[in-house]
Amino acid sequence: ERGVLSTTIIGHFSKFAETGVLKKEDLKRILPKEKIETFESLHKKASFDNLNDWKKELPDDFDYGEIRLLWTFFDKLKKK
């Protein structure tokens, strides 16, 4: 039996965010509300070119998969 890593699942959700299929209500079912709000607040004030820069500015409990998902989601919203 093959186990599925949470990073794999978050990666799939990031693909949905890229296409615009993922809605904010969906995001709230995936990640804690506090993380979404923290990221959204920073995203409104700043823009970074890579995951490492986002990681440096966010609290330590954010992992790269979560950052990628949130970054993709909020960038897609901004472009609408």
Side-chain angles (χ1 to χ4, degrees), residues 3-64:
V4 178
L5 297 173
S6 63
T7 53
T8 302
I9 295 167
I10 295 292
H12 290 301
F13 284 128
S14 293
K15 298 268 188 222
F16 290 130
E18 280 178 37
T19 63
V21 173
L22 195 68
K23 306 294 180 223
K24 195 163 189 181
E25 301 80 42
D26 301 324
L27 198 59
K28 290 177 182 177
R29 298 168 96 194
I30 301 166
L31 297 172
K33 179 179 142 185
E34 297 77 20
K35 283 191 173 184
I36 297 168
E37 290 171 352
T38 299
F39 188 92
E40 185 174 19
S41 176
L42 180 60
H43 190 268
K44 287 179 180 178
K45 294 185 269 187
S47 179
F48 302 104
D49 294 328
N50 60 63
L51 287 171
N52 288 329
D53 290 343
W54 282 105
K55 179 75 171 148
K56 288 176 193 171
E57 295 299 319
L58 290 163
D60 291 339
D61 65 333
F62 278 81
D63 67 39
Y64 285 99

